[in-house]
């Protein structure tokens, strides 16, 4: 029986897992073992047995390291005792608070707690309140909770703010030394209406390649804020920027990577002021190929701050009011549109994967609650900027790769063998006549997307294609970008909000000066990301849990001294993991807001579309509201549903009714769990494509005027069918099995209802005391 050291991953149901430092295994910890440990502790366990599924079960031997960061939760006063119920359910235990350690907080308030006594097999953990955040319904409380729950650094250290305060208010003469003056070039920024930091400015003009006198190409200039001029290695600004690794975006609030003086001031390419930039100057052919490029530091003066909406209106009508207002810029915007169309042509011939998905934007009221959720409309203005940024990122990757200099690449590898097999089976089950090979290419994915875009189940097919792909990561081992169909790709265009971009700028500057950039990571920065599987920089296979494996192709790696290799690998893991952390925190806040939004709509009915099918139920997105919730499998009616993994759908064994992605349904909002960030639906009326063929009422029973059929009626019909089959002497054995499955389904449904009622009563009890 082996001993394993790893990190505890708690579960809201009381049990947990140990994610091993070495390898890719997890060991189950039963609730009894979890009493003495907490989520995110590092422990040593011994594998003592294997369960029926062959999973190892562990016995806690030693607490290697206790989690030290504060825990966020709500302060309760029950039975004369003070306690804090953690916001993160994975902690599993309430924390007892002595009466003198509440810091004056009132029952029901959200507080931050430090442990003073660790839990044991016989005692709960004890702590003290170190910060009172406020009431649960206070505006912006969901963000205050999220940044602490996910340990997002949200306050700059005093020395960082002091260093930022010493920076000049504007570009000085000494800063311009050795830079090309592009202040007369009409570069413009194009961003969303709510943007406050401007990383990039663009300009385009016709150009000639070869001996042609007539323009046959375009000169595309992408100017990026030169953050590396102000944020130097080893300084406090750099240390905090590395620790954060990325800005975190919430509705109505941003947690920036850099102090506001830099992110919204000195580095931001604001209009009509001089700014330092790193420029990627490109020649693009009529076919969209990058003919030549060069990088150089420059001084620019943005001629206008444009929005996507404004540029889309100008491109749509060059004689409209928007175009009249920006008359001197219209020709340059038309040139940008022309180079975009050329780049789009190259994208198509390259076989890059391009799915049309619906992104949404949360619009909040003055109290920070959701007023409405609206779809983000992607226009040619969005795509134009996207293609310009992609071109600059590709040039930076090519420049660094040709110099054989280490850097962080943005790597996106193809499907894993498991996901590839699942996708192949799914496509085969659909009978499309299209498939993927053993080594899939982006072109194959794009061909399937194009061939199916007009089908009724197009959304389902495109969703499966997307889910089969791996997540992109930062790594020094270049293995290409599968989705964009690039052999090499870096992030160069957003150094204000992403640390990998800042590193790429430093590398390019070093290469322009005929030198090398020696990466030295900031000292005393321990990653606060809880899903790191082993110590950062631990050599080969030093992965973060939940992140794809780093590429291992020999040709993708550059031979470096071990210390330098470890530094770049550590930076890649750290930035990738913190990117995931930022995404999780943002999703948590959005889920909170959506739960608050739907809590006022309990009992209301909506039409919706199935967005995912699982073995335990259906996820449904509501029409117009863009809110997703779950219909548990026990709410689908009184028959047994089997999950078809190949087709990604639930199918009723008796009726044959099928629910897959894209199925139209009508639901009622039945439950909102704010603590768990979950919304539950009840099926009200099935869509036409999901209605069973044999839905005729028996023995004179009629459907209600709305056409709805209750689960009890469906169950009675199925039992009647069983009796008929038995009387006819056909399939008695299988009918018996069906009855057994129906009974089990009905029992599970009843049990779930009782459990939900119990939880509701418990919530009512605790709510009355808060």
């Amino acid at each position: 029986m082996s001993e394993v050291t790893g990190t505890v991953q708690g579960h809201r149901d009381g049990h947990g897992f140990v994610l091993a430092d070495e390898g890719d295994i997890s060991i189950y910890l039963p609730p009894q073992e979890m009493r003495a440990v907490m989520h995110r502790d590092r422990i040593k366990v011994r594998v003592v047995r294997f369960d029926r599924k062959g999973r190892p079960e562990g016995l806690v031997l030693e607490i290697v390291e206790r989690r030290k960061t504060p825990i966020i939760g709500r302060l309760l006063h029950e039975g004369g005792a003070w306690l804090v119920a953690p916001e993160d359910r994975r902690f599993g235990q309430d924390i007892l608070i002595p009466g003198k350690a509440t810091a004056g907080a009132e029952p029901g308030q959200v507080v931050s707690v430090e442990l003073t006594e660790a839990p044991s097999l016989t005692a709960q953990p004890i702590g003290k309140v170190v910060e009172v955040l406020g009431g649960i319904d206070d505006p912006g409380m969901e963000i205050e909770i999220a940044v602490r729950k996910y340990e997002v650094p949200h306050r700059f250290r005093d020395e960082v703010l002091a260093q930022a305060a010493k920076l000049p208010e504007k570009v000085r003469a000494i800063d311009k030394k050795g830079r090309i003056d592009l202040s007369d070039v009409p570069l413009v920024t194009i961003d969303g209406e709510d943007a406050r930091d401007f990383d990039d400015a663009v300009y385009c003009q016709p150009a000639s390649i070869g001996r042609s006198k007539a323009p046959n190409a375009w000169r595309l200039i992408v100017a990026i804020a030169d953050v590396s001029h102000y944020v130097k290695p080893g300084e406090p600004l750099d240390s905090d920027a590395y620790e954060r690794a990325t800005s975190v975006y919430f509705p109505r609030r941003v947690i920036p990577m850099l102090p506001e003086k830099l992110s919204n001031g000195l580095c931001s390419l604001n209009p009509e002021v001089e700014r330092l930039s790193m420029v990627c100057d490109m020649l693009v052919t009529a076919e969209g190929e990058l003919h030549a490029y060069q990088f150089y530091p420059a001084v620019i003066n943005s001629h206008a701050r444009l929005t996507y909406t404004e540029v889309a209106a100008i491109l749509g009508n060059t004689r409209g009011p928007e175009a009249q207002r920006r008359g001197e810029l219209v020709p340059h915007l038309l040139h940008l549109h022309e180079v975009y169309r050329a780049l789009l042509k190259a994208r198509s011939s390259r076989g890059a994967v391009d799915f049309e998905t619906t992104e949404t934007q949360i619009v909040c009221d003055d109290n920070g609650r959701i007023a409405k959720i609206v779809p983000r409309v992607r226009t040619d203005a969005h795509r134009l900027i996207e293609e310009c940024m992609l071109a600059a990122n590709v040039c930076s990757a090519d420049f660094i790769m040709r110099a054989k200099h280490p850097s962080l690449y943005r790597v996106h590898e193809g499907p894993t063998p498991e996901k590839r097999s699942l996708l192949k089976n799914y496509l085969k089950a659909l009978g499309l006549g299209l498939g993927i090979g053993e080594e899939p290419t982006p072109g194959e994915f794009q061909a399937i997307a194009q061939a199916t875009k007009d089908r009724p189940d197009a959304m389902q097919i495109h969703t499966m294609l997307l889910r089969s792909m791996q997540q992109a990561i930062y790594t020094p081992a270049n293995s290409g970008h599968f989705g964009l169909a690039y052999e090499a790709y870096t992030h160069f265009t957003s150094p204000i909000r992403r640390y990998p971009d800042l590193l790429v700028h430093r590398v390019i500057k070093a290469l322009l000066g005929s030198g090398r950039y020696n990466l030295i990571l900031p000292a005393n920065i321990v990653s606060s990301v809880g899903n790191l599987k082993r110590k950062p920089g631990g050599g080969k296979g030093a992965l973060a849990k939940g992140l794809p494996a780093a590429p291992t192709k020999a040709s993708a790696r550059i031979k470096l001294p071990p210390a330098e290799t470890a530094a770049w690998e550590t930076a890649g893991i750290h930035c990738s993991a913190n990117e995931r952390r930022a995404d999780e925190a943002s999703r948590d806040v959005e889920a909170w807001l959506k739960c608050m939004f739907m809590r006022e709509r309990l009992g209301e009915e909506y039409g919706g579309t199935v967005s995912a099918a699982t073995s335990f139920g259906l996820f449904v997105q509501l029409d117009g509201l863009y809110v997703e919730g779950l219909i548990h499998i026990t709410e689908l009616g009184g028959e047994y549903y089997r999950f078809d993994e190949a087709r990604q759908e639930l199918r009723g064994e008796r009726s044959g009714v099928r629910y897959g992605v894209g199925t139209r349904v009508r639901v009622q909002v039945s439950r909102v769990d704010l603590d768990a960030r979950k919304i539950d639906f009840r099926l009200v009326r099935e869509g036409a494509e999901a209605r069973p063929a044999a839905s005729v009422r028996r023995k004179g029973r009629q459907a209600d005027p709305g056409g709805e059929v209750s689960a009890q009626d469906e169950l009675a019909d199925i039992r009647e069918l069983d009796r008929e089959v038995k009387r006819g002497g056909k399939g008695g054995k299988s009918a018996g099995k069906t009855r057994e499955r129906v009974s089990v389904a009905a029992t599970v449904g009843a049990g779930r209802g009782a459990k939900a009622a119990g939880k509701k009563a418990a919530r009512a009890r605790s709510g009355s005391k808060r």
Side-chain angles (χ1 to χ4, degrees):
M1 293 297 170
S2 59
E3 295 182 359
V4 176
T5 300
T7 304
V8 176
Q9 186 82 31
H11 191 278
R12 58 180 299 167
D13 290 341
H15 61 268
F17 298 89
V18 177
L19 308 180
D21 291 344
E22 302 291 334
D24 193 26
I25 62 172
S26 61
I27 298 165
Y28 174 76
L29 289 180
Q32 179 64 21
E33 292 297 313
M34 283 295 293
R35 288 186 60 83
V37 300
M38 298 191 76
H39 174 61
R40 302 273 294 278
D41 286 346
R42 289 193 72 247
I43 64 174
K44 180 185 287 186
V45 296
R46 176 185 294 130
V47 178
V48 293
R49 64 178 66 87
F50 291 84
D51 63 13
R52 290 178 299 174
K53 296 182 179 180
R55 296 177 301 188
E57 183 176 314
L59 173 71
V60 177
L61 298 177
E62 178 188 350
I63 311 295
V64 177
E65 183 181 0
R66 286 286 187 185
R67 181 184 187 280
K68 295 183 176 63
T69 50
I71 298 171
I72 305 302
R74 293 178 70 176
L75 183 66
L76 307 176
H77 193 221
E78 295 187 351
W82 292 92
L83 54 90
V84 168
E87 168 67 23
D88 191 338
R89 297 286 190 86
R90 292 175 295 181
F91 284 106
Q93 301 184 61
D94 292 343
I95 302 165
L96 294 175
I97 306 294
K100 296 182 180 179
T102 61
E106 298 178 358
Q109 286 189 312
V110 180
V111 297
S112 177
V113 176
E114 281 185 359
L115 295 185
T116 55
E117 291 187 29
S120 67
L121 292 175
T122 57
Q124 283 181 262
I126 299 175
K128 64 178 180 179
V129 175
V130 294
E131 183 181 12
V132 181
L133 302 183
I136 192 69
D137 291 323
D138 290 353
M141 180 53 64
E142 67 281 356
I143 297 176
E144 296 296 332
I145 291 173
V147 295
R148 291 165 176 82
K149 178 178 175 181
Y150 293 95
E151 298 176 20
V152 175
H154 58 286
R155 294 193 183 103
F156 289 104
R157 290 176 290 127
D158 292 340
E159 54 265 40
V160 175
L161 295 176
Q163 185 187 353
K166 292 178 182 177
L167 292 173
E169 298 295 329
K170 59 182 181 179
V171 175
R172 301 166 301 184
I174 192 173
D175 298 323
K176 301 179 187 179
K177 188 177 179 180
R179 292 177 178 269
I180 294 177
D181 188 355
L182 295 184
S183 56
D184 60 332
V185 177
L187 288 145
V188 296
T189 61
I190 305 175
D191 295 275
E193 280 81 358
D194 55 350
R196 295 178 61 195
D197 54 347
F198 310 116
D199 287 289
D200 53 88
V202 291
Y203 167 77
C204 184
Q205 68 181 36
S208 297
I209 295 177
R211 297 182 179 180
S212 174
K213 294 183 179 180
N216 59 357
W218 290 272
R219 181 190 180 191
L220 174 62
I221 297 178
V222 175
I224 305 299
D226 189 359
V227 176
S228 63
H229 181 81
Y230 301 104
V231 182
K232 303 292 187 182
E235 295 181 347
L237 274 172
D238 184 56
S239 178
D240 260 29
Y242 175 74
E243 183 179 18
R244 295 168 184 239
T246 179
S247 297
V248 187
Y249 292 86
F250 301 109
R252 302 205 336 155
R253 184 177 169 188
V254 177
I255 308 296
M257 185 180 80
L258 299 170
E260 189 172 349
K261 182 169 183 178
L262 286 165
S263 60
N264 296 346
L266 195 54
C267 290
S268 182
L269 305 184
N270 299 323
E272 306 300 336
V273 291
E274 286 187 332
R275 287 289 183 260
L276 305 183
S277 70
M278 282 295 295
V279 170
C280 181
D281 199 337
M282 297 165 274
L283 274 179
V284 183
T285 69
E287 299 303 314
E289 299 296 332
L290 289 166
H291 179 75
Y293 65 82
Q294 61 177 330
F295 288 92
Y296 51 84
V299 179
I300 72 162
N301 190 321
S302 171
H303 282 45
R305 181 267 199 264
L306 304 177
T307 67
Y308 292 123
T309 305
E310 187 178 8
V311 172
I314 292 172
L315 296 178
N317 182 7
T318 55
R319 296 184 179 181
E322 294 84 0
Q324 296 293 327
R325 191 163 56 248
R326 304 285 191 180
E328 72 283 358
L329 296 176
V330 170
H332 308 304
L333 293 177
L334 292 177
H335 292 150
L336 279 168
H337 193 240
E338 289 167 357
V339 77
Y340 151 68
R341 291 168 66 179
L343 291 169
L344 200 62
K345 191 187 302 182
R347 180 191 187 105
S348 178
S349 61
R350 200 171 65 240
V353 184
D354 188 16
F355 298 120
E356 285 295 332
T357 56
T358 302
E359 295 183 7
T360 58
Q361 177 183 3
I362 292 177
V363 180
C364 295
D365 58 21
D366 294 337
N367 295 320
R369 298 287 181 255
I370 293 181
K372 58 183 177 179
I373 303 174
V374 297
R376 289 185 184 270
V377 179
R378 274 176 54 81
T379 64
D380 273 3
H382 291 85
R383 299 185 183 96
L384 180 156
I385 290 298
E386 181 181 300
E387 288 298 329
C388 290
M389 298 306 110
L390 291 178
N393 286 335
V394 169
C395 289
S396 64
D398 185 74
F399 184 63
I400 294 169
M401 189 173 63
R402 288 176 184 274
K404 296 184 178 180
H405 193 292
S407 182
L408 285 187
Y409 292 91
R410 184 65 168 176
V411 167
H412 180 228
E413 294 201 295
T416 61
E418 295 81 9
K419 289 186 175 182
R420 184 178 67 230
S421 177
L422 180 62
L423 180 61
K424 289 176 75 171
N425 292 337
Y426 171 74
L427 295 172
K428 185 178 179 181
L430 289 182
L432 290 175
L434 295 170
I436 57 174
E438 288 303 311
E439 292 291 333
T441 64
E444 290 175 331
F445 276 67
Q446 185 63 9
I448 295 170
Q450 285 294 319
T452 58
K453 64 180 181 180
D454 297 324
R455 286 173 55 109
D457 57 352
M459 186 177 79
Q460 176 181 358
I461 297 169
H462 292 185
T463 300
M464 284 300 296
L465 291 174
L466 279 170
R467 288 176 180 169
S468 71
M469 297 183 187
Q470 298 186 60
Q471 287 182 306
I473 59 171
Y474 294 107
T475 172
N478 173 40
S479 191
H481 197 292
F482 180 85
L484 296 173
Y486 287 130
E487 292 184 4
Y489 188 70
T490 60
H491 274 169
F492 163 78
T493 54
S494 297
I496 290 178
R497 60 186 179 90
R498 291 189 305 229
Y499 196 81
D501 302 54
L502 177 57
L503 290 179
V504 167
H505 276 237
R506 289 173 177 169
V507 170
I508 290 175
K509 273 191 173 181
L511 292 174
L512 291 176
S514 300
R516 286 180 62 82
Y517 174 65
N518 183 25
L519 174 63
I520 301 176
L521 297 179
N524 303 321
I525 298 296
V526 178
S527 176
S528 59
V529 179
N531 58 1
L532 286 180
K533 288 195 61 180
R534 60 158 58 172
K535 186 178 179 180
K540 185 177 179 180
L543 305 178
K545 185 67 177 176
L547 297 175
T552 55
K553 295 180 181 178
S555 60
R557 297 186 176 276
I558 301 172
K559 290 184 179 180
L560 298 170
E564 192 173 358
T565 299
W568 282 105
E569 287 182 350
T570 300
I573 294 168
H574 176 80
C575 292
S576 299
N578 281 24
E579 180 185 42
R580 302 288 181 269
R581 177 182 66 184
D583 291 342
E584 289 174 2
S586 298
R587 282 196 296 268
D588 188 79
V589 167
E590 290 188 8
W592 168 292
L593 291 172
K594 288 178 179 179
C595 284
M596 295 291 287
F597 184 60
M598 296 307 295
R599 199 164 63 171
E600 301 171 0
R601 291 161 174 77
L602 281 170
E604 295 184 12
E605 296 181 10
Y606 298 94
T609 304
V610 175
S611 56
T614 69
S615 59
F616 54 85
L618 304 169
F619 286 96
V620 175
Q621 186 178 82
L622 302 184
D623 298 341
L625 295 182
Y626 302 97
V627 171
E628 193 174 68
L630 174 70
I631 305 176
H632 195 270
I633 195 167
T634 55
E635 300 284 352
L636 292 178
E639 70 171 305
Y640 183 83
Y641 283 87
R642 188 178 297 277
F643 179 59
D644 186 338
E645 188 177 30
R647 294 180 179 272
Q648 290 291 296
E649 65 184 18
L650 285 174
R651 179 180 298 187
E653 284 209 341
R654 173 157 298 280
S655 64
V657 60
R658 297 187 299 178
Y659 296 97
V661 177
T663 301
R664 298 284 304 156
V665 293
R666 188 162 184 82
V667 299
Q668 181 186 56
V669 183
S670 61
R671 181 171 175 265
V672 175
D673 186 344
L674 184 61
D675 292 336
R677 313 287 196 266
K678 290 182 179 179
I679 301 168
D680 287 343
F681 297 146
R682 181 180 69 84
L683 192 64
V684 173
R685 181 171 60 250
E686 300 173 14
E689 58 272 74
R691 187 177 298 281
S695 60
V696 182
R697 305 294 90 205
R698 282 183 159 69
K699 295 193 175 182
R701 189 166 61 245
Q702 298 294 323
D704 60 35
E708 298 173 15
V709 180
S710 70
Q712 290 81 2
D713 287 347
E714 289 184 7
L715 184 56
D717 289 342
I718 292 170
R719 286 173 174 165
E720 179 64 24
L721 284 172
D722 284 344
R723 294 189 193 99
E724 290 178 5
V725 171
K726 191 172 183 180
R727 284 196 295 270
K730 297 178 181 179
K733 188 176 287 186
S734 62
K737 288 183 179 178
T738 304
R739 279 198 303 277
E740 184 183 352
R741 287 173 180 147
V742 169
S743 300
V744 169
T747 304
V748 170
R752 185 173 184 266
K755 187 176 181 181
K759 286 184 177 179
K760 187 173 182 181
R763 286 199 308 276
R765 176 181 60 79
S766 61
S768 65
K769 294 184 179 182
R770 291 173 188 169

